[in-house]
Amino acid sequence: MEAILLAGNAASPELRNLGVGHVFLLTIGGNTLLELTCRALIEGGQCTTVFVRAPENIPLPDLPEVKRLLPDGNLVHDLICCARDKLTAKHIFIGAADCPLITPESIAGLHDFTVEADCRYVFPIVPQAAIEARFPDMKRTY
């Protein structure tokens, strides 16, 4: 499996006031959300390459599987070009770089489903009602 993670959006003004420029660069237990997400994909999904769509000024995790995908136009264009020009795996994960709840186990389950269902592209979507039931006070964009 290979992956594309979307990174680059600036944090909210509240987080910027705390010195956090990007949500995916928040540190939890000594690792950024971006690194935790990359490690979950590598460990749980056996990802051989994790492309992170991020500007050059964004630090990437120091992992051999992580490669930068420079933004070049709009998001859809970048994803199509990456899929066409860089990805070689049969199974591809596309997701956000700031997934605090992602675990190697959740990715392993998603990977197993992908292989069993013989999907080429995977983008996990959780229903709004499921998120609100488990995390009723969490603010999200739907």
Side-chain angles (χ1 to χ4, degrees):
M1 183 164 77
E2 292 176 308
I4 303 172
L5 294 179
L6 309 176
N9 289 337
S12 67
E14 295 82 9
L15 284 176
R16 285 196 303 262
N17 288 337
L18 296 173
V20 177
H22 301 276
V23 174
F24 57 86
L25 294 179
L26 277 169
T27 301
I28 298 174
N31 297 305
T32 64
L33 288 178
L34 174 58
E35 184 168 349
L36 292 171
T37 303
C38 289
R39 286 188 185 281
L41 289 163
I42 294 163
E43 294 168 16
Q46 302 125 22
C47 274
T48 56
T49 307
V50 178
F51 288 98
V52 179
R53 182 184 182 266
E56 285 187 76
N57 64 326
I58 300 297
L60 298 183
D62 188 19
L63 300 167
E65 299 87 353
V66 176
K67 310 286 185 226
R68 186 180 309 276
L69 174 63
L70 288 171
D72 183 29
N74 66 44
L75 174 63
V76 174
H77 174 266
D78 292 348
L79 290 175
I80 290 170
C81 289
C82 183
R84 181 192 65 210
D85 300 337
K86 299 182 184 320
L87 300 174
T88 59
K90 182 174 181 179
H91 304 289
I92 300 164
F93 175 96
I94 301 172
D98 59 348
C99 299
L101 303 178
I102 199 169
T103 64
E105 295 78 20
S106 66
I107 292 299
L110 184 64
H111 179 265
D112 292 348
F113 168 81
T114 302
V115 171
E116 290 170 17
D118 196 29
C119 301
R120 171 114 168 101
Y121 298 95
V122 174
F123 187 94
I125 298 173
V126 179
Q128 180 177 347
I131 290 289
E132 290 174 348
R134 184 150 181 214
F135 305 101
D137 298 324
M138 185 171 75
K139 302 294 182 214
R140 295 291 310 153
T141 302
Y142 300 100

